[in-house]
């Protein structure tokens, strides 16, 4: 790990897995072998519950990023996917599904905690990295 990262409260892998299990439970998806990430993001969390906004931007407008999760200036939680990732995730392509799930992980784990920008070498371990946790 190198460069600037976001430091978050530390979590063990078992805690991260428990959060994922809790989300599945809340959505009644415990028995589903393939988590319907795009249906959950777009149809449930955005359209039905309105707890976040899923936005699809032109690939060029994301400067190479595969996805973004942030709270905007009005306090609205947003997940942004480039058009290519959005379409590929709906087509169940593995890497795109991972990206959509990863951004969902950021929202679940980090939308209500303080993020601190630090140099990666200043983390006590990867368990304090928002990227590792998501």
């Amino acid at each position: 790990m190198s460069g600037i990262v976001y430091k978050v409260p530390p979590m063990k892998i078992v805690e991260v897995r428990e959060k994922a299990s809790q989300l599945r439970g809340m959505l009644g998806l415990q028995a589903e072998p393939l988590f319907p990430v795009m249906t959950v993001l777009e149809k449930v969390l955005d359209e039905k519950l309105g707890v976040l906004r899923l936005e699809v931007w032109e690939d060029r407008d994301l400067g190479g990023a595969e996805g973004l999760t942030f709270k905007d200036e009005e306090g609205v939680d947003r997940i942004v996917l480039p058009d290519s990732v959005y379409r590929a995730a709906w087509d169940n392509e593995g890497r795109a599904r991972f990206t959509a799930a990863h951004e969902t992980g950021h929202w679940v784990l980090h939308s209500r905690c303080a993020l601190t920008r630090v140099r990666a070498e200043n983390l006590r371990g990867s368990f304090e990295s928002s990227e590792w946790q998501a």
Side-chain angles (χ1 to χ4, degrees):
M1 247 189 313
S2 63
I4 302 295
V5 297
Y6 287 102
K7 179 181 177 181
V8 292
M11 291 183 86
K12 297 177 183 176
I13 188 73
V14 69
E15 295 170 299
V16 173
R17 288 183 176 148
E18 180 58 29
K19 294 282 188 184
S21 181
Q22 288 171 358
L23 178 62
R24 280 180 167 268
M26 287 188 293
L27 297 170
L29 297 170
Q30 306 90 318
E32 292 294 322
L34 187 65
F35 185 78
V37 66
M38 293 308 295
T39 299
V40 168
L41 266 178
E42 187 163 19
K43 303 299 182 189
V44 178
L45 298 176
D46 183 353
E47 294 176 7
K48 185 173 184 179
L49 299 176
V51 295
L52 62 77
R53 292 291 307 148
L54 174 64
E55 296 182 2
V56 181
W57 293 3
E58 294 292 327
D59 287 41
R60 68 180 175 273
D61 294 337
L62 279 154
E66 293 182 58
L68 299 171
T69 301
F70 62 95
K71 188 176 296 289
D72 70 16
E73 61 279 349
E74 296 168 358
V76 176
D77 291 326
R78 297 186 182 272
I79 291 179
V80 178
L81 296 176
D83 184 63
S84 62
V85 171
Y86 173 82
R87 291 176 185 277
W90 271 113
D91 288 340
N92 283 322
E93 292 181 18
R95 176 64 192 188
R97 283 180 41 77
F98 170 84
T99 298
H102 178 85
E103 297 307 321
T104 304
H106 278 303
W107 178 74
V108 169
L109 298 171
H110 307 129
S111 65
R112 290 160 192 81
C113 74
L115 300 172
T116 306
R117 289 175 52 103
V118 299
R119 296 201 58 76
E121 57 268 17
N122 292 334
L123 294 177
R124 291 182 298 156
S126 59
F127 54 88
E128 289 184 325
S129 167
S130 67
E131 288 304 309
W132 176 84
Q133 288 180 8

